[in-house]
Amino acid sequence: MASPLAEPSQDLAGRRAGQAGPGPRLPDGPHYPRIVQAWLWLKQPIWFLDHCSRAYGDVFTMRLPLGMNLVHLTDPELVKAVFGGSGDVLQAGRANAAILEPLLGPHSVLVLDGPEHLRQRKLIMPAFHGDRMRAWEATIREITRAQTARWPAGKPFALRPGMQSITLDVIMRVVFGVEEGAHRDELRRRIVTVTGIGRNPFLLLATRGRRLGPYAPWARFIRARDELRAALAGQIRERRRAADLEQRGDVLSQLLLARDDEGRAMTDDEVRDELVTLLFAGHETTATSLAWAFDLLLHHPGALSRLRAELDGGGSEYLDAVIMETLRVRPVVALVERYVRQATKIGQHEIPAGAIVCPNIFLTQRREDGYPEPAAFRPERFAGQTPPSAEWFPFGGGIRRCLGATFATFEMRIIIPEVLRAVALRPASRRPARIRRESVTFVPADGARCIVSARTSSGRAGRRPRSARPS
Ligand code: HEM
């Protein structure tokens, strides 16, 4: 894509960037005014990332309004250094909190640092243990089948909303443990309302705390969030009293039973914030990754046939490779952030306090030296192989690595074959979807449009793999 802008002279821009004074200097980066960089980052993120990477190499600083400096890292060695670094110096919670805390709440594992973060993490982690997850397999299949039965035949439609519907139902059934009925419908409505308003967090933040009346985005968001919190609080109170609490396999029940090292349980407010976190961290990310997987498969008939043949034979190695390659070439989360609490050295780079270092998932996973022809979709790269964790990290890393990574891949391993078994799909356009930013995620611009050309519930896509074992 052609440059939407010409750069101002380095000299002038260097002064504007204001790097005078003692202490380490930020690594170099584009010299456009901050507001222009913010616009490019929001509206042309792929062009901007590629441009910065070509112009400045493995480390560059994006300067955004309000003095926010994002230091992007695309060298696996530097990524490794950040993920292995001290959580007291490189703080993910503080970096996440600015945008996410109003939605997730002050006890969310995503916005905490230090011992509080580790406590919440340890309390949540056992709920996603492999054995527990296996019990959810039948539910996930059933939800997928119900959704595919609703897809129209012969007409183009966007797959992503269908995937969102599946992953939301999965969260409500296996995370919240809410059965069919009025409660579930009410909860679903509340979630969809908050998600809808939250699609544009930047508009939200622009109206934050201002007196713009009850219909301004921020005021509507706070109302919808509080209604969702109240509905979840009701579920939590009810579940605490459930006679079968100890026998239940859902995540909410496990959170209520969990005890920390000192034998303390989570408070209702903590449980509520973690439920909201699991919902928002886990629902759209997985749905969008699924939509990308289908968009790529439908535009690569060779890969699709190989996958179908494997599923016919009951195997799953190529399926795993398809999932890994999808998460490599279309990572839903483009980067992770760590707030630099005190000046620190990363590789040869001195990073000043107050900057935010960002292991850049999108660019690192597209390095030519790690992945020949990096923009091409080639699941074969991963057949039978696990990539090094600093070259493939769609789920972030270190003590902040995604708590739902195993669950997300488990879901994808079930949903992809189940969809292929139920319907024959073809793409609605000749080319794969463009990447568009939506909130903090990268999504298919057209929602991954496709057409159901036949219903194949007789089992065209073959036998079920032995089990979608969690890895
Ligand atoms: C394909 C789907 C998913 C992707 C691509 C994804 C990606 C990520 C990324 C990049 C992070 C930040 C890690 C870091 O800062 O190093 C993260 C954190 C997190 N994710 Fe996921 N995620 C997915 C699905 C899920 C699911 C299904 C759940 C739970 C139901 C979940 C729960 C979380 C939680 C709780 C954290 C915070 C971990 C912490 O701060 O300690 N995610 N995820």
Side-chain angles (χ1 to χ4, degrees):
M1 183 176 141
S3 163
L5 285 172
E7 294 229 19
S9 84
Q10 302 257 330
D11 213 38
L12 171 68
R15 277 199 301 275
R16 254 192 228 152
Q19 290 206 346
R25 290 164 60 93
L26 287 163
D28 201 3
H31 301 275
Y32 309 132
R34 285 177 182 266
I35 189 74
V36 175
Q37 297 198 40
W39 186 87
L40 287 169
W41 183 218
L42 289 180
K43 297 292 179 191
Q44 302 283 358
I46 306 300
W47 177 86
F48 196 30
L49 285 180
D50 284 342
H51 166 75
C52 292
S53 159
R54 268 197 309 273
Y56 302 99
D58 294 341
V59 182
F60 57 86
T61 304
M62 217 180 244
R63 293 169 172 83
L64 303 180
L66 306 176
M68 204 194 296
N69 299 312
L70 304 188
V71 179
H72 295 250
L73 309 173
T74 71
D75 174 344
E77 285 308 312
L78 302 180
V79 169
K80 215 186 291 175
V82 172
F83 287 158
S86 156
D88 285 340
V89 177
L90 300 171
Q91 299 181 310
R94 182 157 176 189
N96 293 335
I99 292 202
L100 296 178
E101 185 173 334
L103 171 63
L104 305 182
H107 309 289
S108 162
V109 66
L110 260 162
V111 306
L112 294 172
D113 285 303
E116 285 100 349
H117 164 256
L118 278 183
R119 173 179 183 265
Q120 293 304 106
R121 218 179 138 91
K122 278 203 212 157
L123 286 164
I124 300 170
M125 211 131 56
F128 289 98
H129 191 270
D131 289 341
R132 259 186 236 297
M133 271 194 279
R134 261 187 288 278
W136 302 336
E137 185 172 338
T139 308
I140 300 174
R141 285 195 196 289
E142 183 195 310
I143 291 170
T144 309
R145 279 199 290 270
Q147 177 59 221
T148 51
R150 277 184 232 131
W151 291 348
K155 286 199 296 213
F157 74 106
L159 207 54
R160 185 165 163 249
M163 293 298 156
Q164 287 166 326
S165 181
I166 294 175
T167 58
L168 180 52
D169 276 349
V170 169
I171 296 247
M172 288 206 291
R173 296 269 293 275
V174 308
V175 176
F176 297 174
V178 183
E179 299 305 329
E180 220 156 335
H183 270 334
R184 193 156 98 203
D185 295 344
E186 186 209 334
L187 202 53
R188 194 175 225 287
R189 258 197 322 276
R190 301 212 180 286
I191 293 167
V192 170
T193 310
V194 179
T195 315
I197 306 173
R199 288 242 148 74
N200 194 340
F202 306 100
L203 180 64
L204 266 184
L205 292 176
T207 60
R208 182 177 184 168
R210 292 170 195 243
R211 291 168 177 273
L212 298 171
Y215 298 105
W218 185 257
R220 282 194 300 124
F221 163 72
I222 295 294
R223 247 190 339 269
R225 178 203 67 184
D226 289 348
E227 283 166 8
L228 173 61
R229 284 183 175 177
L232 288 172
Q235 286 293 326
I236 294 167
R237 277 195 302 275
E238 212 172 277
R239 190 67 51 79
R240 275 204 198 278
R241 293 195 298 266
D244 63 347
L245 179 64
E246 308 221 350
Q247 284 76 52
R248 297 179 62 106
D250 58 81
V251 173
L252 166 54
S253 303
Q254 298 310 314
L255 295 184
L256 293 175
L257 292 169
R259 297 291 178 269
D260 65 16
D261 295 342
E262 278 142 43
R264 286 174 307 161
M266 282 196 223
T267 64
D268 278 12
D269 283 358
E270 285 174 334
V271 174
R272 181 204 62 201
D273 288 358
E274 299 314 353
L275 286 184
V276 177
T277 301
L278 296 173
L279 165 68
F280 287 100
H283 144 51
E284 300 230 353
T285 43
T286 312
T288 303
S289 301
L290 281 160
W292 277 127
F294 281 102
D295 189 65
L296 290 164
L297 281 169
L298 297 182
H299 288 91
H300 294 82
L304 181 58
S305 317
R306 182 164 167 189
L307 176 61
R308 280 181 178 283
E310 180 188 76
L311 296 174
D312 276 342
S316 63
E317 186 179 295
Y318 193 69
L319 173 63
D320 289 344
V322 164
I323 294 169
M324 282 198 274
E325 178 68 340
T326 300
L327 294 170
R328 180 191 74 79
V329 78
R330 297 285 190 278
V332 173
V333 181
L335 50 79
V336 295
E337 300 188 346
R338 304 289 185 261
Y339 177 84
V340 181
R341 198 167 63 89
Q342 66 196 53
T344 190
K345 203 160 180 194
I346 297 173
Q348 295 308 307
H349 305 269
E350 288 278 358
I351 311 291
I356 296 174
V357 287
C358 307
N360 190 306
I361 301 171
F362 181 86
L363 288 175
T364 311
Q365 294 186 165
R366 281 183 177 227
R367 284 177 69 100
E368 194 100 48
D369 49 1
Y371 301 98
E373 290 195 59
F377 175 68
R378 287 215 199 115
E380 297 68 36
R381 298 178 204 274
F382 293 119
Q385 293 198 35
T386 310
S389 62
E391 286 176 23
W392 185 88
F393 54 102
F395 297 107
I399 54 160
R400 306 302 299 222
R401 186 169 187 268
C402 174
L403 273 169
T406 310
F407 178 43
T409 34
F410 178 68
E411 276 189 86
M412 293 178 78
R413 281 193 188 119
I414 297 169
I415 296 169
I416 294 173
E418 207 55 52
V419 169
L420 293 178
R421 192 171 296 118
V423 287
L425 293 171
R426 63 184 158 85
S429 59
R430 274 194 313 123
R431 291 169 176 280
R434 265 187 322 103
I435 301 173
R436 180 172 67 79
R437 174 202 273 278
E438 184 178 282
S439 172
V440 291
T441 56
F442 280 4
V443 306
D446 67 355
R449 283 168 74 73
C450 62
I451 298 168
V452 172
S453 44
R455 298 208 173 271
T456 55
S457 49
S458 58
R460 160 68 194 85
R463 298 202 327 245
R464 302 217 155 97
R466 279 171 295 282
S467 157
R469 83 223 170 281
S471 57

